[in-house]
Amino acid sequence: MGTKGCLPSVVTYTSLIHGLCLSNDLDEAIGLFEEMKEKGIVANLYTYSSLMDGLCKGGRCSQAMELLEIMTTEHLQPNTVTYSSLINGLCKEQRLSEAVELLDRMKLRGFKHAGLYGKIITGFCVAQKFQEAANFLDEMVFGRISPNRLTWGLHVRINNTVVRGLCETDPNRSFQLYLSMRTRGISVEAETFDFLIDSFCKKGDLHKAARIVEEMVLDGCIPNETTWSTVLRGFWDRKKVREAAELIQVELVKKSIESH
DNA sequence: TTAGGGTTAG
């Protein structure tokens, strides 16, 4: 290009760096990044975002974070694209506190992004930290951050995962989230119902378990045999309930004989 | 001019 009097610009370098990142030639990409600096060509937001995304995808988040510091010293403001790459990478490496920190920075600048909340919440679920995951779901509700047509499916899955995860450690909060899902129109998966019912049976809160079975059926989910037997066993273990059930049965038999 | 990610039935 040079011999033809057509010198590479920042766009030329950015395109090349992007391409090298796509083929995971990260060291070469960094090499070009250095080279353009030496030539006095100033990297812009696109250049940084490309290289940082490549580094994150290649499991080199720390280097990407260094670039974040460098770009701010050059008075370049990261935007949603930049943060998105970083948060994705940090979550993949289970560096959740750093991911949360970046999300906070985005919030300060007014970026609301349901997809990135999703990444972080999924990260907490993978780490079995369901309370934290639920906190972020609450935050989404309070902040009116709702998923769009494309992220909706992911959001449904995340809510279900968190409810199931909470069943183990905090059934009451799990139930609270379950209720909030219903009011927000987020469909509860059959397996999630099973988790809730099982957890309340174990806790001995049979009324709640029965209520959930009822709502499950109303939603058109047919409880499977395991769920039925879990609930029945729960009731059965209580002697008084059994006696009452037997009385009702006697009544029913009497009535059916009378009506015939 | 150059950067990411997110859905799904047919």
Side-chain angles (χ1 to χ4, degrees):
Chain A
M1 287 175 77
T3 58
K4 299 228 173 188
C6 175
L7 290 174
S9 68
V10 57
V11 177
T12 323
Y13 272 102
T14 302
S15 300
L16 283 169
I17 287 170
H18 183 213
L20 286 168
C21 284
L22 285 178
S23 52
N24 206 30
D25 290 328
L26 298 176
D27 291 320
E28 287 216 45
I30 292 170
L32 273 187
F33 183 71
E34 302 290 343
E35 183 187 306
M36 68 186 280
K37 271 190 177 171
E38 282 161 19
K39 287 191 180 171
I41 298 167
V42 181
N44 64 20
L45 189 56
Y46 295 91
T47 323
Y48 274 99
S49 297
S50 295
L51 186 53
M52 286 156 84
D53 186 60
L55 288 167
C56 284
K57 283 183 176 143
R60 290 160 66 167
C61 273
S62 303
Q63 266 179 296
M65 291 296 277
E66 282 169 25
L67 286 175
L68 180 69
E69 297 310 315
I70 294 171
M71 69 185 282
T72 43
T73 63
E74 290 175 5
H75 306 294
L76 277 174
Q77 279 263 53
N79 65 9
T80 314
V81 176
T82 328
Y83 284 127
S84 177
S85 294
L86 287 169
I87 290 177
N88 270 325
L90 289 168
C91 286
K92 219 164 45 187
E93 290 184 24
Q94 281 288 300
R95 290 162 65 168
L96 293 173
S97 55
E98 289 163 275
V100 169
E101 208 178 293
L102 290 185
L103 189 72
D104 285 337
R105 282 207 230 171
M106 290 182 70
K107 279 190 278 188
L108 283 175
R109 295 189 38 210
F111 299 138
K112 288 181 175 180
H113 204 293
L116 292 181
Y117 271 88
K119 292 282 175 190
I120 288 178
I121 295 168
T122 305
F124 278 117
C125 287
V126 170
Q128 302 281 299
K129 292 181 170 171
F130 295 105
Q131 297 281 354
E132 283 87 343
N135 290 342
F136 279 99
L137 280 179
D138 285 344
E139 195 178 303
M140 288 184 77
V141 175
F142 293 134
R144 295 179 186 281
I145 300 164
S146 34
N148 57 26
R149 176 171 63 87
L150 292 167
T151 48
W152 180 260
L154 184 72
H155 195 243
V156 172
R157 238 176 34 229
I158 289 169
N159 273 271
N160 276 276
T161 306
V162 177
V163 169
R164 295 203 279 256
L166 281 174
C167 275
E168 186 96 359
T169 51
D170 192 348
N172 289 328
R173 186 157 193 201
S174 179
F175 184 69
Q176 207 183 337
L177 178 58
Y178 159 78
L179 290 180
S180 125
M181 282 172 69
R182 295 185 73 83
T183 58
R184 285 180 288 141
I186 296 174
S187 52
V188 181
E189 292 160 358
E191 206 189 325
T192 308
F193 281 114
D194 292 337
F195 267 76
L196 281 163
I197 293 162
D198 189 49
S199 136
F200 282 107
C201 281
K202 278 184 187 148
K203 241 183 114 199
D205 194 342
L206 298 174
H207 289 287
K208 219 167 241 174
R211 170 190 168 164
I212 297 166
V213 172
E214 210 172 295
E215 286 168 345
M216 174 176 191
V217 174
L218 277 175
D219 274 10
C221 276
I222 314 281
N224 60 26
E225 208 180 318
T226 317
T227 304
W228 278 125
S229 55
T230 308
V231 181
L232 287 177
R233 204 182 315 117
F235 276 110
W236 204 248
D237 286 344
R238 299 192 162 186
K239 213 176 155 205
K240 279 185 181 169
V241 175
R242 186 173 67 202
E243 286 162 6
E246 281 165 356
L247 274 178
I248 289 168
Q249 204 181 355
V250 170
E251 286 291 311
L252 286 172
V253 170
K254 248 187 356 196
K255 276 188 187 162
S256 81
I257 291 168
E258 280 165 13
S259 65
H260 283 84

